[in-house]
Amino acid sequence: MAAIYFFSLIFVLNFFHVIALQNEVLSVSQTTETSNLQNYIIQVKQPKGRVLSQSDDLESWYKSFLPARTAASSDNQPRILYSYRNVMSGFAARLTQEQVRAMADKDGFVSARPERILKKLTTHTPNFLGLHQQAGFWRESNFGKGVIIGVLDGGIFPSHPSFSDVGIPPPPAKWKGSCDFNVSFNLAANATKGGTTEPPIDEDGHGTHTASTAAGGFVNYADVLGNAKGTAAGMAPYAHLAIYKVCFGEDCPDSDILAALDAAVEDGVDVLSLSLGAESTSFFNDSIAVGSFAAIQKGIFVSCSAGNSGPFNGTLSNEAPWILTVGASTIDRKIVATTKLGNGQEFDGETVHRGDFPPTYSPLVYAGVNGKSESAFCAEGSLKEADAHVLPAVHVSFVDGLKIKAYINSTATPTAAILFKGTVIGDSFSPAVASFSSRGPSLASPGILKPDIIGPALLKSSHPYWSPAAIKSAIMTTADVVNSKGRAIFDETLEPADIFATGSGHVNPTRANDPGLVYDLQPDDYIPYLCGLGYKDEEVGIIAHKPIKCSEESSIPEGALNYPSFSVTLGPSHTFTRTVTNVGEAYSSYTVKIVAPDGVYVSVEPNKLYFSKVNQKATYSVTFSRIASSGKIGAYGQGFLTWVSDKYHVRSPISIKFQ
C-alpha cells in the first residue's frame, strides 16, 4: 500500500519555519469504574398481562428493580437517570456491581451493561451535488419543507444565521416537542445529561456544523476568512431542526443518546442524523443500533457517520443494516496555497488562511520530534486538506513533502515562501474518499457491505411515504461510482478506492429521487437476519423491542437479507434471492448486467424483469461461484450487479472475500 502521510508546512513571520506534527485521531473509551457507582443500561421485560401506558406505571415498574435504599449517604444510593419508553423497555441507572447482581435475580430482568462513551465524528456542496435553487430536484422536493430532522450531537449556536426562521413555516401539527431557546429558531429540544436538562448550546462547533449541513437555511455572502465565498445551505434548507444535545465536551454517554432517541421518537421527527460513534460491538450492546431500530419501526429514517478512524479497514461505527452508514468525501473546491522553495520548485497545497501574509522567502527548518532532529509527519493521508490556521500555513502531500525534505538536506540555507492563491473550483480528483473516513468490512456483520455510501443525502421530503429501507435503497443504487471527470473515485493515496471505502458510491440526489427500483424491507424482516447472526432470543428482543423466539423464526444468513448490496464469503457457491419493487414507470422492463469480481462467476435468474404497474414486486436469485483465474487474486474482489432499463440503472456493489 502507498504511504498514507502528508507534511504540514507552517510559516512563522520573522522567526522560523517548521513542519509540525499533528495527529487528530479520535479515541474511543468506555466508562471505567472510578467509584462504587457507575451508569448502567438496564433492559427489562414488560410486566406480564398488562401494557404500561402511564408514566407513573412505567416509573414504578422500573423502580421495582432497584434495591431498597439504605441509611448511607445519598450520594451512594442507586437512582434512575432515564426511563425509556419508545426505544427500549428499560432504564439507565447509577448502580454498584453488587446492586446489578442483585437486580439480575428479579423476575423480568433481561440484561445490564455498563454505559459506553461515544465520541463525536466530523457553500459549494449543493452545486457539486447538482442541487440548484431555481430548478431541479432541490426545488421539486420543496427544499425539505415540512420535514423534521432530529440531530443528536453537542447542541448548536442558536444565533447562527443558518438557523434563522425567516421563510420557515410553523412546525407540523405532529410535532410534540418544545423549543427552549429565547431566540428566533426553527425548532429545538432540550439537552439531556445524566437525567437533568439544560439548553442545547454548542461548545465546540461540531453540533452546529452537523445541524447546518443537514438543514441549514440559505445564508448569502458566506465565506471562510475571505475564502470560498457564496451562498451556504444545508441539504434540506427549509426543513425543521430538532436539536438534542447528548455530547458534553468530547464525551457522548449512551444513556443520554438513548434518552434523546426516546424523546425524538416521542416528539415526532421524520429523520435522525447522528455523527457519533464508538468501536464495533454487537448490535444489542449498541445504543444507536437499538434506538434506531425502534425509530425505523415508526418509519423514521436514520443516517449515521461511518466514523473518523480511516484509512484502515475494519474501523466502522454504526454498522446496523437498518442505518444508512455514510462515509466522508471531498468536493471539487479547494483553497489553494503554493509552497515555493529557494531553488524554484513549487508545490500546491491547501489552507484556510486569509492570505494576508507576504510571499517573501524565509529560512526553512524541521521541527524536532521528541526532541530529536527528525522530519515530522501527519498520519492522515496523502490527500491534502484545508484547516483554518492561525499561523500562515499550507498542507502539502506526502510525496511533495519528501521533495521538500530533500531540498532542505541539499543546502545549508534552505528558504521557502507561501503564495496564497485563494479559492479554486474544479478539482479533477473529486469526489474522493477523505483519508479519515472509516472503512469496511463490517466487524459486527461481515455479510453486510458497509459503509453504504459516501457524501450527504436528501430524500425524505419528496417521498414521505417511502419506508426507511426504500429511501436507503434509492440512495445506494443510484450513487455515482466515478468522479467528476468520469474516472474511478480515488482514496487518500490517489489510487482507485475500493468499496470498503466508497460503499455503493457517491450520493447523487437527483437520481436517488427517481431510482426506478428499490430493495424494500420492513422492520420485522430484520429479525430472521438477527437470529441468523447467532444472537440469543433475549438479545434479539432487546433490538426488536418485543419478545422473540428464534426457534420460531426462519433464520437467514446475512447475505439473504433483502439489502441493496452483496457481501459474500466465497468457498462453496452461494445463492441468494432479492426482491425489487417498481417505483418508476408502470410498464417497464430491466435486463441484468454483471461486472463480476476476478475469479468469480455470477449468474442471475431470471436475467430480465418485467413490470406492468407501480409498486409491483419481482424476485430474482443470484449465484456466486469461484472459478479458476489466470491472474493474481487478493483476499477480496469487487464487482457490480446492475438492472438496466431504457431510463434507469439500478446498481448494487458486490464484495467477495475468498476463503
Side-chain angles (χ1 to χ4, degrees), residues 553-593:
E553 299 287 341
S554 299
S555 296
I556 61 172
E558 298 164 276
L561 188 67
N562 197 44
Y563 209 69
S565 60
F566 298 89
S567 182
V568 183
T569 298
L570 197 58
S573 297
H574 288 285
T575 298
F576 300 117
T577 60
R578 290 289 192 271
T579 299
V580 290
T581 303
N582 179 26
V583 295
E585 298 174 339
Y587 288 93
S588 55
S589 63
Y590 291 79
T591 301
V592 72
K593 290 190 176 181

Side-chain angles (χ1 to χ4, degrees), residues 33-306:
E33 189 172 25
T34 58
S35 65
N36 289 333
L37 287 170
Q38 68 180 63
N39 294 354
Y40 285 86
I41 308 296
I42 313 297
Q43 174 83 14
V44 300
K45 297 177 182 177
Q46 291 278 349
K48 294 179 180 179
R50 62 192 178 102
V51 176
L52 298 177
S53 57
Q54 299 296 324
S55 300
D56 290 342
D57 289 342
L58 184 71
E59 194 78 14
S60 298
W61 172 241
Y62 291 163
K63 284 182 177 178
S64 71
F65 288 88
L66 297 182
R69 298 178 69 88
T70 67
S73 167
S74 61
D75 292 339
N76 208 31
Q77 297 289 346
R79 69 183 181 95
I80 290 179
L81 303 176
Y82 300 109
S83 297
Y84 305 121
R85 174 180 296 277
N86 299 294
V87 295
M88 66 176 287
S89 176
F91 56 95
R94 288 189 62 75
L95 301 163
T96 65
Q97 290 183 355
E98 292 76 12
Q99 290 165 344
V100 171
R101 283 193 288 267
M103 184 184 298
D105 295 329
K106 294 180 179 289
D107 184 38
F109 175 86
V110 175
S111 68
R113 63 171 176 83
E115 173 179 75
R116 295 203 311 161
I117 302 299
L118 283 72
K119 298 295 182 182
K120 300 173 186 174
L121 304 173
T122 274
T123 57
H124 175 62
T125 302
N127 283 340
F128 179 65
L129 294 174
L131 301 175
H132 306 284
Q133 278 186 258
Q134 304 306 319
F137 167 53
W138 214 5
R139 190 173 186 86
E140 291 165 6
S141 68
N142 213 7
F143 306 99
K145 185 175 290 186
V147 172
I148 303 171
I149 302 176
V151 179
L152 276 64
D153 208 285
I156 62 166
F157 300 127
S159 59
H160 194 284
S162 290
F163 307 129
S164 168
D165 65 353
V166 175
I168 304 295
K174 67 177 180 178
W175 171 248
K176 300 176 184 177
S178 62
C179 179
D180 293 314
F181 285 126
N182 293 318
V183 295
S184 176
F185 185 66
N186 301 11
L187 271 179
N190 274 335
T192 55
K193 184 179 183 181
T196 62
T197 60
E198 61 182 67
I201 303 298
D202 202 350
E203 299 174 22
D204 59 11
H206 188 272
T208 296
H209 164 67
T210 57
S212 60
T213 299
F218 292 105
V219 180
N220 296 322
Y221 312 111
D223 67 76
V224 180
L225 300 178
N227 299 291
K229 296 179 180 179
T231 298
M235 293 299 97
Y238 286 175
H240 298 284
L241 279 167
I243 304 300
Y244 302 88
K245 182 171 180 175
V246 298
C247 300
F248 307 88
E250 286 297 313
D251 294 342
C252 313
D254 64 356
S255 63
D256 297 305
I257 293 170
L258 274 171
L261 289 169
D262 202 73
V265 172
E266 183 74 23
D267 290 342
V269 304
D270 300 297
V271 175
L272 281 165
S273 175
L274 296 85
S275 290
L276 315 172
E279 73 279 3
S280 178
T281 188
S282 301
F283 296 144
F284 55 84
N285 283 328
D286 184 339
S287 291
I288 292 179
V290 171
S292 62
F293 193 90
I296 68 156
Q297 288 176 315
K298 303 285 187 180
I300 299 169
F301 182 77
V302 184
S303 176
C304 295
S305 167

Side-chain angles (χ1 to χ4, degrees), residues 273-489:
S273 175
L274 296 85
S275 290
L276 315 172
E279 73 279 3
S280 178
T281 188
S282 301
F283 296 144
F284 55 84
N285 283 328
D286 184 339
S287 291
I288 292 179
V290 171
S292 62
F293 193 90
I296 68 156
Q297 288 176 315
K298 303 285 187 180
I300 299 169
F301 182 77
V302 184
S303 176
C304 295
S305 167
N308 287 357
S309 299
F312 309 107
N313 283 359
T315 53
L316 290 166
S317 297
N318 305 312
E319 303 153 86
W322 49 89
I323 293 171
L324 180 72
T325 308
V326 184
S329 60
T330 66
I331 62 173
D332 66 341
R333 181 186 61 199
K334 298 192 296 184
I335 303 173
V336 177
T338 299
T339 300
K340 187 170 185 179
L341 304 181
N343 63 2
Q345 287 183 290
E346 295 187 2
F347 305 99
D348 284 341
E350 293 193 56
T351 184
V352 186
H353 193 268
R354 64 175 64 252
D356 53 0
F357 183 73
T360 54
Y361 285 99
S362 299
L364 177 63
V365 299
Y366 277 105
V369 178
N370 296 325
K372 299 178 181 179
S373 181
E374 299 177 356
S375 59
F377 298 90
C378 290
E380 296 187 26
S382 63
L383 277 180
K384 300 176 289 291
E385 61 180 42
D387 286 340
H389 300 289
V390 175
L391 303 175
V394 58
H395 279 179
V396 297
S397 71
F398 176 74
V399 172
D400 290 346
L402 291 178
K403 295 175 182 177
I404 294 171
K405 179 182 177 181
Y407 162 68
I408 292 174
N409 292 333
S410 71
T411 177
T413 57
T415 60
I418 294 181
L419 288 67
F420 293 95
K421 297 183 177 179
T423 304
V424 175
I425 293 177
D427 182 5
S428 61
F429 291 117
S430 65
V433 180
S435 59
F436 59 82
S437 186
S438 291
R439 314 296 164 95
S442 169
L443 300 182
S445 183
I448 300 295
L449 179 62
K450 291 282 183 171
D452 293 308
I453 58 159
I454 53 175
L458 164 69
L459 208 59
K460 181 70 174 180
S461 60
S462 59
H463 296 288
Y465 302 110
W466 279 10
S467 70
I471 292 175
K472 180 177 180 177
S473 172
I475 293 170
M476 292 172 63
T477 61
T478 59
D480 293 329
V481 294
V482 294
N483 64 20
S484 57
K485 300 299 182 183
R487 298 183 295 228
I489 293 175

Side-chain angles (χ1 to χ4, degrees), residues 575-615:
T575 298
F576 300 117
T577 60
R578 290 289 192 271
T579 299
V580 290
T581 303
N582 179 26
V583 295
E585 298 174 339
Y587 288 93
S588 55
S589 63
Y590 291 79
T591 301
V592 72
K593 290 190 176 181
I594 301 294
V595 178
D598 289 342
V600 178
Y601 177 69
V602 182
S603 62
V604 177
E605 179 63 34
N607 58 14
K608 290 188 177 181
L609 301 177
Y610 300 92
F611 299 94
S612 58
K613 58 184 178 181
V614 176
N615 294 324

